[in-house]
Amino acid sequence: MTSEKSRQTEMAGPSADAAEPLPRPKSRNNGSRRRFRGAAVNLFYLPVVIVLVVFIIYPLISGIALSLTNWDGYNATKTFVGLANYKRIFSDGNFGTILINTFIYGIGSTVIQQVLGLALALLLNAKIHGKMLIRAIIYLPALVAPVVMGIMYYFIFQYQQGALNQILVWLGLPKVAWFNNAHFSVAIIVLVNSIQFVGVSMIIYLSGLQTMDQEVLEAAEVDGAYGWKKFWNVQLPLLAPSFTTSVVLNLIGGLKLYDIIKVLTGGGPGYSTNSLSTYIGTVYFDNQAAGYASAIGVVLFVLIALVTFAVNKGLAKLEWE
């Protein structure tokens, strides 16, 4: 029986499974085709590269070049002055206050937006009636132009016919000149900026909560973690990526705050509520010192880059732990 099978196998020849695939003949054009496809794919990067060069790299290099001149922003003549504009920053009596204001706008708005944004996200992630409408109302100010937002709140805090002072009068209290006091003005600017963009933080945290692994949450509940214990030990660590994204976005927006300050206070009284962004405009157009304004702009760019890098590194370490 065995010998009969062997004869049949020899007559049939090698099976198809055992046959080795024949090597394909090498084509001389394979290498050139791969290079052509790679070049075709690289062409899709070209529009992005052009946009980056025209709108980011070229203005940045031009700004650095202007910061080394004494250009007044109007005449064609420019004289190279080296680092004189950067040395002038250290002797500028207003620069210290303006730098502190910039940090207050950036850090203050970021802290308020994280606390309110996370609280609203937790509230609207629960099963409550009308939560879609509430989300839309909270996010709506982020769609409004900052200039319009500033004008709306100007009519609330203005001295003569402001809504807040009208309420104080009805309560038998004297009116307050909110915008004549630098501390009140800075606080109002932080408050208005926080209210306008708290919806962005809320959406970021809400997306983090809704994409959270439910099995992990259920396992925590089985282990007896509820309420604050569950939030602090389970949900908050899982929200670390959302926290990093929200903090960085809000911090950058607060450090370069411009529109709301211009509409509410115009940087006054004096220079006491200016940020670096508004001060650049004042120095450029009012003082006709485009070279010095460019130097402040370069300082602001470096400041935002350093702060963002430091916060990213710190939060990445916190997330890892």
Side-chain angles (χ1 to χ4, degrees):
M1 190 67 182
T2 306
S3 59
E4 183 64 25
K5 284 186 178 178
S6 301
R7 281 197 300 273
Q8 290 177 357
T9 304
E10 289 175 358
M11 292 176 65
S15 64
D17 294 338
E20 296 181 357
L22 296 175
R24 291 183 178 180
K26 293 183 178 178
S27 173
R28 295 179 180 177
N29 296 327
N30 281 350
S32 59
R33 284 177 181 173
R34 280 196 294 270
R35 286 195 293 274
F36 175 76
R37 288 173 183 169
V41 171
N42 289 335
L43 284 177
F44 287 101
Y45 297 132
L46 194 58
V48 178
V49 173
I50 292 173
V51 170
L52 285 175
V53 170
V54 172
F55 293 103
I56 295 179
I57 297 176
Y58 174 72
L60 177 62
I61 295 174
S62 297
I64 295 173
L66 286 176
S67 71
L68 304 176
T69 69
N70 65 348
W71 189 42
D72 63 2
Y74 298 96
N75 293 320
T77 56
K78 304 170 191 170
T79 304
F80 179 76
V81 296
L83 298 176
N85 287 324
Y86 292 95
K87 294 178 181 175
R88 182 179 169 185
I89 289 175
F90 294 99
S91 60
D92 189 337
N94 299 314
F95 191 83
T97 303
I98 292 167
L99 183 63
I100 292 172
N101 287 343
T102 303
F103 277 112
I104 292 174
Y105 296 144
I107 297 173
S109 300
T110 301
V111 171
I112 294 174
Q113 286 166 4
Q114 303 323 301
V115 174
L116 290 180
L118 181 56
L120 290 169
L122 289 170
L123 175 66
L124 296 177
N125 193 45
K127 294 179 181 177
I128 60 173
H129 294 291
K131 61 182 180 182
M132 297 300 293
L133 178 61
I134 299 173
R135 287 179 196 172
I137 292 173
I138 295 172
Y139 189 76
L140 194 60
L143 304 178
V144 177
V147 173
V148 176
M149 193 76 177
I151 292 173
M152 289 168 56
Y153 277 88
Y154 176 78
F155 286 111
I156 292 177
F157 291 101
Q158 73 169 162
Y159 180 75
Q160 288 295 344
Q161 298 177 345
L164 189 56
N165 275 335
Q166 291 298 324
I167 294 173
L168 292 177
V169 170
W170 290 338
L171 295 174
L173 298 173
K175 291 182 178 180
V176 178
W178 302 101
F179 293 127
N180 286 350
N181 184 299
H183 299 297
F184 282 150
S185 299
V186 169
I188 291 169
I189 290 169
V190 171
L191 179 67
V192 173
N193 184 52
S194 302
I195 291 173
Q196 181 169 20
F197 294 106
V198 71
V200 177
S201 297
M202 180 197 69
I203 293 296
I204 293 173
Y205 286 122
L206 201 54
S207 63
L209 288 169
Q210 293 182 347
T211 56
M212 205 169 277
D213 191 347
Q214 296 301 316
E215 292 182 358
V216 176
L217 300 179
E218 290 171 2
E221 292 176 358
V222 170
D223 291 339
Y226 290 95
W228 172 257
K229 190 177 179 182
K230 175 183 170 183
F231 168 74
W232 184 258
N233 294 313
V234 181
Q235 287 181 302
L236 194 58
L238 292 176
L239 282 175
S242 303
F243 183 73
T244 303
T245 303
S246 181
V247 166
V248 171
L249 287 177
N250 294 148
L251 192 57
I252 293 174
L255 289 174
K256 62 179 185 179
L257 192 61
Y258 179 86
D259 313 65
I260 291 175
I261 301 171
K262 275 294 183 185
V263 174
L264 284 176
T265 66
Y271 292 93
S272 59
T273 60
N274 268 303
S275 67
L276 285 177
S277 295
T278 56
Y279 192 50
I280 289 171
T282 301
V283 170
Y284 190 111
F285 295 106
D286 296 349
N287 302 347
Q288 299 183 4
Y292 183 46
S294 299
I296 298 173
V298 173
V299 170
L300 177 61
F301 170 76
V302 174
L303 177 71
I304 292 176
L306 289 177
V307 170
T308 305
F309 176 77
V311 169
N312 259 323
K313 294 292 286 184
L315 292 178
K317 187 178 179 181
L318 183 66
E319 183 181 344
W320 179 78
E321 289 176 349

